[in-house]
């Protein structure tokens, strides 16, 4: 090692001597002398200053003033006199009860899309902070600090978009939407907004990912960026280097509440049609076929013998809806819509939302391992409230079953023993007495009841519990414990180590649960 160091030192000394010979002391220049640093490669900006200067006047700060009526706490007897005796003001609640008004607000960002004062922002920026709150005023502050009171022209909570209007004293600077479908991972982007109420703030970064699903809604398809996005940036624009709006900064992931380089924007391709509908005073149209969906994850794919991350499982099909009329059934796996594959990046809900209402489209699906195609007429998506009524979704109880509602255990049949060994579940037929105990009101519901669960089994780990009703196994109706045992045995013969149970709890909608089969049972065969 000493030999290597010696050679290195000689090279360094020789290099230093050559430098001193070629560049006399008087010729030395500063490291950052103009022209000494090579220009950045094509596509990399040397500065965002010109872009920011041009775009900032079209970005606004938005604040709301909200109020809520809360019960006024009444002081215990004698405490009001106590405060008066010592010359102290009586706290709120010193009267005879009633209500008092509490005030709050919200801060966010937005951008002007027309010279006459139309402004786009996130709906959550201008929505009530809680159901019983009232938004009394929305204030828009321009980059020159001019303030205007704004009115809501329209809002679409599903996409989290709101359109505001102010009445300016003259034409305003505005920006246009760009084509976000041409955005690529690695592209530079600039975000302008109102983080933490500081006012117009410019940050820059790159597109980190496209089509992100973060579980914020049925139409999740965000642009991810490492440009600094913080609380208050919501509703502000994301620009490309040409100054086009390619997204609305909406969300961030952070363990601290501050920026950690993971921010999300709604792409312009989803925003622009919504804004145009709101501007015309029309209802936002989205395609709908009347299905409830469930992801085809590794366990579900293994149970059905399908390719992972391809398609969605239909957890339910609305009776009389477009999908039901076209022949789709609960348990079908939809793999394409109008020729477009259904993937995690391009979900069924998103693909349907892009279809024209009234159009007939081919929907390709898999049933019992066979590919089929149905022609489905696209309907207008009902509101969230209408969907809840259509699907008869009750309010979840969340309380554990009482002992009197748990099915009793009787002498086991061969099918029951097989199901217990394979699934870790003790099953019983759904008798009229058990139906009454479980308060199952729908007479058309058929299945087998879970009487006991081995908590060390995969079924136990996935949350199954006594009183749950198993409606089907691998899309075969669970008419009896023997049928369940036969379906499990068929899965084993097909080389599968997972089965898909359709489970209903009480009167809530059923859900598919993949359950791994017991290896101990397989080894005894």
């Amino acid at each position: 090692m000493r030999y290597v160091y010696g050679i290195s030192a000689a090279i360094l000394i020789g290099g230093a001597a050559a430098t001193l010979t070629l560049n006399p002391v008087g010729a030395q220049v500063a490291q950052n002398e103009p022209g000494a640093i090579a220009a950045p490669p094509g596509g990399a900006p040397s500065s965002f200053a010109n872009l920011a200067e041009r775009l900032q006047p079209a970005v606004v700060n938005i604040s709301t003033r909200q109020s809520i009526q809360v019960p006024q706490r009444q002081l215990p007897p004698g405490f009001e006199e106590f405060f008066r005796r010592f010359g102290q003001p009586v706290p709120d609640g010193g009267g005879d009860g009633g209500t008092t008004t509490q005030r709050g607000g919200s801060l966010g960002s937005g951008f002007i899309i027309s010279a006459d004062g139309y402004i786009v922002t996130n709906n959550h920026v201008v929505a009530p902070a809680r159901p019983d709150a009232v938004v009394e005023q929305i204030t828009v502050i321009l980059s020159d600090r001019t303030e205007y009171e704004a009115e809501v022209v329209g809002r679409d909570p599903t996409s989290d978009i709101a359109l505001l209007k102010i009445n300016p004293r003259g034409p305003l600077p505005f920006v246009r939407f760009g084509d976000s479908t041409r955005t690529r991972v690695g592209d530079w982007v600039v975000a302008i907004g109102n983080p933490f109420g500081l006012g117009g703030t410019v940050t820059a970064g790159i597109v980190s990912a496209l089509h992100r699903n973060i579980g914020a809604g049925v139409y999740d398809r965000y642009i991810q960026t490492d440009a600094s996005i913080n609380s208050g940036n919501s509703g502000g624009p994301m620009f490309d280097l040409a100054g086009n709006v390619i997204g609305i900064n909406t969300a961030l992931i952070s363990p601290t509440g501050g920026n950690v380089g993971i921010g999300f924007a709604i792409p312009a391709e989803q925003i622009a049609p919504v804004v145009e509908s709101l501007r015309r005073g029309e209802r936002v149209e989205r395609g709908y076929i009347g299905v409830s969906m469930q992801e085809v994850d590794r366990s579900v794919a293994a149970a059905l013998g399908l390719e992972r991350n391809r398609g969605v499982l239909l957890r339910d099909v609305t009776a009389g809806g477009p999908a039901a009329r076209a022949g789709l059934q609960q348990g079908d796996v939809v793999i394409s819509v109008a020729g477009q594959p259904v993937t995690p990046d391009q979900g069924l809900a998103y693909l349907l939302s892009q279809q024209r209402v009234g159009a007939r489209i081919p929907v390709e699906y898999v049933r019992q391992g066979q590919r089929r195609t149905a022609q489905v007429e696209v309907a207008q998506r009902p509101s969230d409230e209408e969907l809840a009524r259509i699907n008869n979704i009750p309010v979840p109880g969340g309380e554990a079953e009482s002992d009197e509602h748990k099915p009793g255990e009787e002498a086991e049949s061969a099918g029951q023993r097989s199901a217990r060994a394979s699934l870790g579940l003790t099953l019983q037929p759904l008798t009229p007495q058990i139906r009454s105990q479980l308060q199952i009101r729908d007479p058309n519901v058929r299945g087998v009841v879970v009487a006991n669960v081995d908590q060390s089994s995969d079924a136990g780990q996935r949350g199954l519990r006594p009183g749950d009703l198993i409606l089907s196994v691998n899309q075969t109706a669970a008419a009896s414990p023997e049928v369940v045992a036969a379906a499990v045995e068929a899965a084993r013969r097909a080389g599968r180590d997972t089965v898909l149970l359709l489970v209903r709890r009480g009167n809530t909608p059923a859900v598919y649960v993949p359950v791994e089969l017991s290896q101990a049972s397989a080894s005894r065969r």
Side-chain angles (χ1 to χ4, degrees), residues 334-501:
V334 176
I335 57 177
S336 75
V337 172
Q340 296 294 312
V342 178
T343 67
D345 291 340
Q346 191 170 250
L348 176 59
Y350 171 77
L351 289 173
L352 290 174
S353 72
Q354 304 302 301
Q355 305 303 316
R356 180 177 58 83
V357 174
R360 291 185 65 84
I361 58 172
V363 174
E364 188 179 8
Y365 62 99
V366 176
R367 179 184 297 167
Q368 297 291 354
Q370 301 295 318
R371 287 198 176 197
R372 307 184 183 190
T373 301
Q375 296 295 324
V376 183
E377 183 176 353
V378 180
Q380 164 67 33
R381 183 182 188 273
S383 66
D384 292 340
E385 294 77 11
E386 290 171 329
L387 284 175
R389 288 196 299 270
I390 291 172
N391 295 319
N392 193 28
I393 299 176
V395 178
E399 295 183 359
E401 301 280 351
S402 64
D403 290 338
E404 64 179 355
H405 286 163
K406 293 181 181 179
E409 294 188 33
E410 301 173 356
E412 286 187 320
S413 66
Q416 288 172 315
R417 287 194 298 271
S418 176
R420 178 165 54 82
S422 299
L423 300 173
L425 300 174
T426 301
L427 304 178
Q428 285 189 332
L430 181 60
T431 64
Q433 180 183 4
I434 294 176
R435 182 186 294 273
S436 175
Q437 289 177 341
L438 296 178
Q439 299 180 0
I440 298 174
R441 295 185 290 270
D442 188 346
N444 297 317
V445 172
R446 297 287 186 272
V448 293
V449 182
V450 176
N452 196 19
V453 181
D454 178 358
Q455 294 303 321
S456 65
S457 67
D458 189 56
Q461 296 299 309
R462 292 184 179 273
L464 269 72
R465 69 190 193 195
D468 286 344
L469 185 65
I470 298 178
L471 305 177
S472 70
V473 181
N474 279 2
Q475 302 176 335
T476 297
S480 68
E482 285 70 27
V483 171
V484 173
V488 169
E489 184 61 25
R492 287 198 189 280
R493 289 196 301 269
R496 301 177 190 171
D497 60 2
T498 303
V499 294
L500 194 64
L501 307 182

Side-chain angles (χ1 to χ4, degrees), residues 44-131:
S46 58
S47 172
F48 296 101
N50 290 339
L51 191 66
E53 183 179 20
R54 184 74 176 174
L55 299 175
Q56 271 192 293
V59 182
V60 302
N61 299 338
I62 299 174
S63 62
T64 67
R65 186 179 68 192
Q66 304 187 22
S67 65
I68 180 174
Q69 299 294 317
V70 297
Q72 188 175 13
R73 292 182 300 171
Q74 190 171 6
L75 292 175
F79 271 71
E80 184 175 348
E81 180 61 29
F82 172 83
F83 283 103
R84 290 198 177 100
R85 180 178 301 175
F86 289 94
Q88 299 296 320
V90 178
D92 288 342
D96 57 355
T99 61
T100 185
T101 301
Q102 291 185 354
R103 300 194 181 279
S106 62
L107 294 172
S109 309
F111 54 97
I112 306 169
I113 62 168
S114 66
D116 58 347
Y118 281 96
I119 295 169
V120 176
T121 186
N122 281 136
N123 180 62
H124 74 259
V125 170
V126 294
R130 43 189 280 185

